[in-house]
């Protein structure tokens, strides 16, 4: 929203491009009129040999020569007798020879060089009786001026036209006008603006909320802090995965802080003109200082705050670096700004320039993490408020447990999707099943009931999923199963849903059990049909990644030992050489495949030992398409390892095939 004072007055007449067009056409007409309406009428142009013939025939009475260098023309007047001759009576100039009747010249001849022309006339003068007159320079100043000014007028007209077009199009406000291109594009929220978001709308995120609330407090009561000798922080950086509520938190600050709040995105500094970014930063801080105490919020700051490169090969980053340098200077340069706090948000804190992150600029880094089960419950409560729901029957705690790994934005999406699903089915309120369907849809994609699957394929999918279910049921550390389905969704043909326990540290046996459960699908195909298929791609991908991490990242492999090749600083992002020797690379590859192979064999063993149960489960699955934990309990009996299935969860709960 732009500053209201900059809006044009509503009654101001609108400039119309038609005025320019009309003016240009009028000037053209005028010019044409003045240049053509000379004293010489509207003569027909002739060539030199025609003129000479007319003279020799005695038809010419007078020749008026215009000596002006810009208009080298001779006007030919005929004798009265000659005018009646056939060759001269044919209408000249498409019949528009009307000036002739008022005594204008009949013909005009454009001579090349005056001297040559005079010589050829002199040769004929003796034998033929005609007069030669030299004209005074024509007094057509008006048309001369017009001719000189017209191109300039046209250029100015076009320029004004383009400027007007540029200012009326685009984003509007200050940034829309070409003259204001260096002006900041920040939207200003102040006491006059009605921002509806408040801290009440931000669920969970207690720590982060407290920190930003404190920032608001700094600005409202600076003395409370400065009296004790403290300095007010310059900036706070909100860091976290996408959709966790960073922008929402900033919006809440705008709603709650009763100070001017400038909001813009990192990419608003970027323009195709060089120097505009830096100029916009200057302007932004200038405006903020004028209104201080104030808050500046820059969303997605990584657009300008990326680490400056050492070697700049293309030069294309210069503009971004200039913008960043200006930001650094404004935040902590010589001209320190008082009472302007910058809040920025990013989900790529790792790529930001270290100078930007140092104390004195963004003194505080506030981590906005994915919500835990309790926070998810609160977020559900916030987003359920506007829904017309069967609220009493919806257990938000249950929903929070069903959505491990979901961000705030995902949860908002679940609520919205649930409302859409309910509406599609013509319900008058949103119920529990709609929410569960929405979760399934968001995790697994759209249900594809009419996907064409042959009975053989369906059987293979059923055994594959039953394999996952059986193996994970039998392993102590595998995540507890929630449901198994062979309804195709999104890109998967079937899925086994788990609720993985939240673990802060993971032991090798836990990782191996998970890998074994993931290999259970392929193992079941092998055990049942003695054939394998491409259906295990996502399992293999997951398992290979896990095994590689065990060996190269976590130092969990005896052969490689207590080593890690992980680099948390991310410095080696563009380094193509491996941090280990070829020999170690071979060993790593060998160990990875050994781990996976062992787990595969283990899964096969488990399934061989429980083949009847596997078959039974697959049959139930083929029959019902979706089965839950209860169905498994009927076949396998109670799972001995289920301690606390409701435990807090973190990772995505699905194993897709
Ligand atoms: P990105 O980094 O991708 O810009 P973000 O962290 O800025 O993401 P937001 O735009 O703030 O994410 O969040 C998107 C939406 O998710 C919000 O509009 C809100 O509906 C919902 N949301 C996220 N977190 C919360 C929360 N803690 N409480 C309530 N709603 C939330």
């Amino acid at each position: 929203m732009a500053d209201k004072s900059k809006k044009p007055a509503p009654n101001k007449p609108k400039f119309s491009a038609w005025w320019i067009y009309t003016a240009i056409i009028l000037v053209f007409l005028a010019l044409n009129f003045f240049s053509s309406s000379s004293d010489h009428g509207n003569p027909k142009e002739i060539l030199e040999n025609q003129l000479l013939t007319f003279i020799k025939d005695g038809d010419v009475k007078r020749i008026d020569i215009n000596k002006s260098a810009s208009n080298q023309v001779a006007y030919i007047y005929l004798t009265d007798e000659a005018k009646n001759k056939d060759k001269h009576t044919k209408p000249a100039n498409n019949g528009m020879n009307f000036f002739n009747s008022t005594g204008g010249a009949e013909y005009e001849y454009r001579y090349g060089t005056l001297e040559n022309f005079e010589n050829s006339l002199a040769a004929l003068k003796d034998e033929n009786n005609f007069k030669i007159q030299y004209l005074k320079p024509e007094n057509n100043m008006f048309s001369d001026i017009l001719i000189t000014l017209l191109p300039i007028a046209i250029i100015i007209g076009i320029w004004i036209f383009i400027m007007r077009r540029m200012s009326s199009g685009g984003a509007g406000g200050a940034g829309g006008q070409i003259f204001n291109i260096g002006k900041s594009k920040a939207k200003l929220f102040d006491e006059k603006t009605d921002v509806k978001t408040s801290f009440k709308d931000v669920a969970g995120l207690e720590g982060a909320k407290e920190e930003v609330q404190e920032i608001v407090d700094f600005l409202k009561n600076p003395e409370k802090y400065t009296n004790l000798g403290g300095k007010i922080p310059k900036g706070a950086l909100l860091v976290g995965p996408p959709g966790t509520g960073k922008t929402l938190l900033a919006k809440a600050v705008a709603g709650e802080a009763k100070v001017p709040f400038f909001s813009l995105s990192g990419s608003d500094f970027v323009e195709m003109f060089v120097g505009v970014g830096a100029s916009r930063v200057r302007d932004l801080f200038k405006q903020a200082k004028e209104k201080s105490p104030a808050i500046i919020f820059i969303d997605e700051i990584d657009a300008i705050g990326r680490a400056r490169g050492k070697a700049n090969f293309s030069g294309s980053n210069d503009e971004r670096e200039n913008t960043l340098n200006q930001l650094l200077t404004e935040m902590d340069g010589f001209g320190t700004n008082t009472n302007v706090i910058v809040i920025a948000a990013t989900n790529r804190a790792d790529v930001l320039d270290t100078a930007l992150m140092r104390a004195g600029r963004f003194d505080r880094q506030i981590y906005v993490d994915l919500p835990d089960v309790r926070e998810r419950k609160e977020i559900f409560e916030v987003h359920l408020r506007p829904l017309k729901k069967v609220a009493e029957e919806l257990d938000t705690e249950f929903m929070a447990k069903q959505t491990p790994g979901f961000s705030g934005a995902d949860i908002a999406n679940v609520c919205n999707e649930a409302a859409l699903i309910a509406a599609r089915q013509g319900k008058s309120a949103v119920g529990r099943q709609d929410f569960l369907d929405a979760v399934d849809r968001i995790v697994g994609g759209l249900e594809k009931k009419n996907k064409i699957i042959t009975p053989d394929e369906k059987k293979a999918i059923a055994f594959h999923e039953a394999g996952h279910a059986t193996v994970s049921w039998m392993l102590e550390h595998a995540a507890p199963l929630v449901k198994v389905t062979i309804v195709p969704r999104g890109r998967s043909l079937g899925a086994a849903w788990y609720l993985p326990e939240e673990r802060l540290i993971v032991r090798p046996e836990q990782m191996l059990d998970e890998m074994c459960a993931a290999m259970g699908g392929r193992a079941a195909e092998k055990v049942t049909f003695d054939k394998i298929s491409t259906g295990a791609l996502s399992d293999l991908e997951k398992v290979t990644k896990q095994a590689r991490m065990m060996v190269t990242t976590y130092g969990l492999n005896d052969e490689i030992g207590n080593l890690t090749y992980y680099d948390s600083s991310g410095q080696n992002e563009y380094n193509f050489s491996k941090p280990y020797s070829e020999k170690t690379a071979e060993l790593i590859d060998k160990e990875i495949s050994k781990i996976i192979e062992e787990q595969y064999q283990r899964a096969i063993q488990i399934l061989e030992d429980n083949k009847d149960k596997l078959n039974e489960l697959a049959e139930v699955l083929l029959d019902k398409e979706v089965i839950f934990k209860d169905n498994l309990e009927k076949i396998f009996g109670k799972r001995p390892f289920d301690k606390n299935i409701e435990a807090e969860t973190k990772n995505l709960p699905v194993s897709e095939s």
Side-chain angles (χ1 to χ4, degrees):
M1 187 211 59
D3 194 343
K4 277 181 182 154
S5 61
K6 285 188 180 136
K7 277 193 182 161
N11 294 333
K12 199 175 153 187
K14 256 200 125 189
F15 177 84
S16 162
W18 289 108
W19 282 111
I20 294 187
Y21 296 142
T22 319
I24 292 174
I25 291 169
L26 282 180
V27 170
F28 256 120
L29 286 178
L31 197 64
N32 220 14
F33 179 77
F34 283 109
S35 62
S36 61
S37 61
S38 70
D39 296 340
H40 312 289
N42 197 11
K44 183 187 178 187
E45 189 168 347
I46 51 170
L47 299 172
E48 185 173 5
N49 52 354
Q50 285 176 292
L51 173 60
L52 297 183
T53 318
F54 292 164
I55 294 175
K56 282 177 194 161
D57 292 351
D59 294 349
V60 177
K61 181 172 77 184
R62 197 177 92 216
I63 298 179
D64 290 357
I65 301 176
N66 187 349
K67 285 167 84 174
S68 127
S70 65
N71 194 17
Q72 293 179 317
V73 68
Y75 298 103
I76 292 95
Y77 293 80
L78 298 179
T79 59
D80 291 341
E81 306 86 69
K83 278 182 196 168
N84 296 324
K85 286 188 185 169
D86 258 8
K87 59 181 173 185
H88 300 302
T89 48
K90 272 189 242 153
N93 266 3
N94 303 327
M96 291 177 69
N97 203 358
F98 51 89
F99 272 105
N100 280 356
S101 56
T102 57
E106 275 76 21
Y107 297 108
E108 67 175 25
Y109 164 62
R110 299 202 165 266
Y111 58 86
T113 325
L114 182 62
E115 203 182 332
N116 290 350
F117 182 48
E118 281 175 334
N119 288 343
S120 40
L121 287 183
L124 294 168
K125 187 95 177 63
D126 298 338
E127 294 160 33
N128 302 285
N129 188 22
F130 65 92
K131 274 203 274 179
I132 297 177
Q133 282 185 10
Y134 288 96
L135 295 175
K136 283 183 268 164
E138 278 181 15
N139 191 15
N140 55 357
M141 234 172 62
F142 186 69
S143 64
D144 280 354
I145 292 173
L146 271 184
I147 288 171
T148 333
L149 291 185
L150 186 70
I152 301 173
I154 292 176
I155 291 171
I156 292 178
I158 293 173
W159 186 70
I160 292 176
F161 177 67
I162 292 173
M163 291 297 129
R164 298 275 175 169
R165 286 302 281 269
M166 285 180 84
S167 64
S168 60
Q177 302 202 7
I178 194 85
F179 302 110
N180 291 332
I181 193 141
K183 292 258 156 64
S184 141
K185 288 171 108 181
K187 292 175 188 168
L188 172 65
F189 300 90
D190 50 19
E191 57 292 349
K192 283 176 240 142
T193 332
D194 186 21
V195 182
K196 295 213 169 62
T197 316
S198 71
F199 284 124
K200 268 208 301 279
D201 299 308
V202 186
L205 306 180
E206 260 74 42
K209 251 198 289 192
E210 224 167 77
E211 296 230 22
V212 287
Q213 258 166 332
E214 200 179 51
I215 289 173
V216 176
D217 203 37
F218 279 139
L219 291 175
K220 283 187 177 164
N221 311 303
E223 306 79 36
K224 184 170 145 194
Y225 302 89
T226 48
N227 280 350
L228 297 178
K231 277 198 202 120
I232 289 178
K234 299 248 175 55
L237 189 63
L238 299 169
V239 186
T244 42
K246 298 180 290 297
T247 313
L248 184 72
L249 207 54
K251 268 194 214 160
V253 174
E256 301 252 337
K258 296 288 173 248
V259 296
F261 185 94
F262 294 85
S263 165
L264 78 171
S265 155
S267 56
D268 286 342
F269 292 108
V270 185
E271 195 69 61
M272 62 177 177
F273 304 112
V274 174
V276 168
S279 147
R280 284 185 181 166
V281 173
R282 270 193 300 276
D283 187 59
L284 173 66
F285 277 83
K286 192 170 141 250
Q287 286 184 31
K289 278 182 217 165
E290 275 164 12
K291 298 210 177 221
S292 103
I295 296 175
I296 294 174
F297 173 62
I298 307 175
D299 207 356
E300 317 295 354
I301 195 174
D302 40 301
I304 51 163
R306 266 167 201 271
R308 289 161 291 177
K310 290 187 191 81
N312 198 350
F313 297 116
S314 64
S316 60
N317 281 338
D318 270 5
E319 169 61 3
R320 195 177 52 72
E321 292 191 357
N322 285 344
T323 313
L324 174 59
N325 285 338
Q326 188 62 44
L327 184 65
L328 296 179
T329 324
E330 290 289 350
M331 284 190 77
D332 189 21
F334 274 120
T336 11
N337 46 75
T338 43
N339 286 356
V340 174
I341 293 187
V342 185
I343 301 178
T346 178
N347 31 48
R348 294 296 315 271
D350 52 323
V351 300
L352 291 186
D353 199 282
T354 41
L356 198 57
M357 314 263 279
R358 76 152 168 80
R361 291 204 175 100
F362 287 110
D363 310 80
R364 296 171 166 218
Q365 291 195 18
I366 304 170
Y367 285 93
V368 185
D369 220 340
L370 284 176
D372 60 22
V373 72
R374 190 184 44 79
E375 288 174 320
R376 287 200 299 275
K377 179 175 181 290
E378 288 175 25
I379 298 176
F380 262 112
E381 274 155 17
V382 167
H383 289 284
L384 285 175
R385 265 188 238 149
L387 290 191
K388 197 168 165 213
K389 70 235 165 239
V390 197
E392 299 68 38
E393 76 167 80
L394 187 77
D395 180 358
T396 46
E397 201 164 323
F398 169 75
M399 285 310 299
K401 279 181 188 152
Q402 292 298 313
T403 48
F406 275 42
S407 67
D410 291 331
I411 294 175
N413 195 12
V414 167
C415 294
N416 189 45
E417 199 64 51
L420 297 184
I421 290 173
R424 208 175 296 145
Q425 294 166 358
K427 293 186 189 165
S428 57
V430 194
R432 175 189 153 113
Q433 192 52 45
D434 302 320
F435 284 94
L436 291 177
D437 289 349
V439 174
D440 285 3
R441 192 196 154 158
I442 284 165
V443 176
L446 201 61
E447 208 171 82
K448 289 183 181 154
K449 281 212 166 114
N450 45 6
K451 196 170 190 145
I452 299 163
I453 299 174
T454 63
D456 271 358
E457 280 171 340
K458 197 162 181 183
K459 201 169 165 199
I461 299 165
F463 272 92
H464 183 104
E465 299 307 333
H468 282 307
T470 311
V471 176
S472 64
W473 195 266
M474 298 294 167
L475 293 173
E476 181 176 357
H477 302 293
L481 200 92
V482 180
K483 72 174 181 186
V484 190
T485 159
I486 55 166
V487 179
R489 259 181 196 283
R491 289 171 56 204
S492 71
L493 297 171
W497 298 60
Y498 304 98
L499 272 190
E501 278 177 52
E502 185 191 38
R503 297 172 183 140
L504 294 176
I505 50 169
V506 185
R507 302 201 175 284
E509 56 270 24
Q510 293 168 331
M511 284 180 108
L512 293 175
D513 276 5
E514 270 169 25
M515 288 161 73
C516 183
M519 293 306 288
R522 170 162 277 200
E525 289 179 59
K526 177 82 183 153
V527 168
T528 319
F529 312 109
D530 198 20
K531 279 181 199 149
I532 50 174
S533 72
T534 56
L537 174 65
S538 70
D539 299 333
L540 293 180
E541 187 189 347
K542 193 169 95 182
V543 168
T544 313
K545 267 190 201 152
Q546 254 174 335
R548 182 170 290 280
M549 298 240 290
M550 281 183 81
V551 179
T552 61
T553 307
Y554 295 119
L556 294 177
N557 184 267
D558 291 341
E559 293 296 320
I560 298 292
N562 300 323
L563 279 179
T564 182
Y565 299 107
Y566 175 67
D567 180 11
S568 63
S569 69
Q571 296 292 308
N572 285 336
E573 207 174 330
Y574 303 109
N575 196 347
F576 294 107
S577 64
K578 295 190 180 78
Y580 38 75
S581 68
E582 281 305 315
K583 215 168 132 206
T584 314
E586 270 175 35
L587 189 60
I588 289 173
D589 289 343
K590 221 163 74 198
E591 286 303 305
I592 291 173
S593 63
K594 193 172 127 199
I595 292 173
I596 297 172
E597 201 48 37
E598 272 173 14
Q599 294 315 313
Y600 179 53
Q601 293 307 332
R602 195 169 153 222
I604 288 189
Q605 194 54 52
I606 293 172
L607 293 175
E608 295 277 13
D609 296 346
N610 296 280
K611 208 165 171 185
D612 315 341
K613 289 174 182 163
L614 172 72
N615 288 341
E616 201 180 329
L617 184 63
E619 291 307 327
V620 180
L621 198 52
L622 274 170
D623 181 35
K624 295 195 173 163
E625 294 204 329
V626 184
I627 56 171
F628 295 89
K629 206 178 125 215
D630 313 349
N631 304 80
L632 272 97
E633 266 174 11
K634 266 192 214 142
I635 299 170
F636 292 99
K638 214 152 178 64
R639 190 171 182 240
F641 321 110
D642 274 357
K643 307 155 273 188
N644 180 15
I645 263 200
E646 315 296 304
E648 167 48 6
T649 51
K650 205 75 185 176
N651 305 317
L652 270 184
V654 199
S655 152
E656 290 172 356
S657 303

